[in-house]
Amino acid sequence: MAFLPMPGTPAQTLSPPPAFIPPKPPAYGSYIIDCIHNYTYVWLWNGDSFWYYPTRVEYGEVSGYRWSGEFWFYYGIDPRFINAVSCPPIPTLY
């Protein structure tokens, strides 16, 4: 059974992600916490990559919405599985 979000949830109000794939940054210089509430491209250690919209980062879990190619669905992932992230424009650390 597919997950269908309740009416009015962020998954239904998000527009599709950008049509381009950003360049992959070095793994040591990209942090998912910098991309909260931004369209984020994620590369996993197993080779998968996808558009993601993170809404919460906690110890041991990142949660948000993953783009399926047609719609957003709720998705959580262990941050240890993430190799690199890019959320253009790349935020500047102060």
Side-chain angles (χ1 to χ4, degrees):
M1 178 183 337
F3 169 76
L4 298 175
M6 297 294 292
T9 60
Q12 290 184 335
T13 59
L14 287 174
S15 59
F20 65 93
I21 295 175
K24 184 177 178 181
Y28 60 84
S30 61
Y31 303 99
I32 192 77
I33 192 72
D34 295 333
C35 297
I36 288 288
H37 299 290
N38 287 306
Y39 294 109
T40 305
Y41 202 78
V42 175
W43 290 269
L44 301 180
W45 286 107
N46 69 2
D48 288 345
S49 59
F50 51 87
W51 280 105
Y52 193 60
Y53 190 86
T55 57
R56 192 176 85 194
V57 176
E58 293 184 10
Y59 182 77
E61 181 187 9
V62 177
S63 56
Y65 296 92
R66 181 175 173 170
W67 181 248
S68 72
E70 296 179 20
F71 58 89
W72 292 99
F73 63 94
Y74 190 76
Y75 185 77
I77 190 166
D78 188 322
R80 294 176 295 176
F81 297 154
I82 298 173
N83 179 1
V85 297
S86 178
C87 46
I90 297 172
T92 303
L93 299 177
Y94 297 99

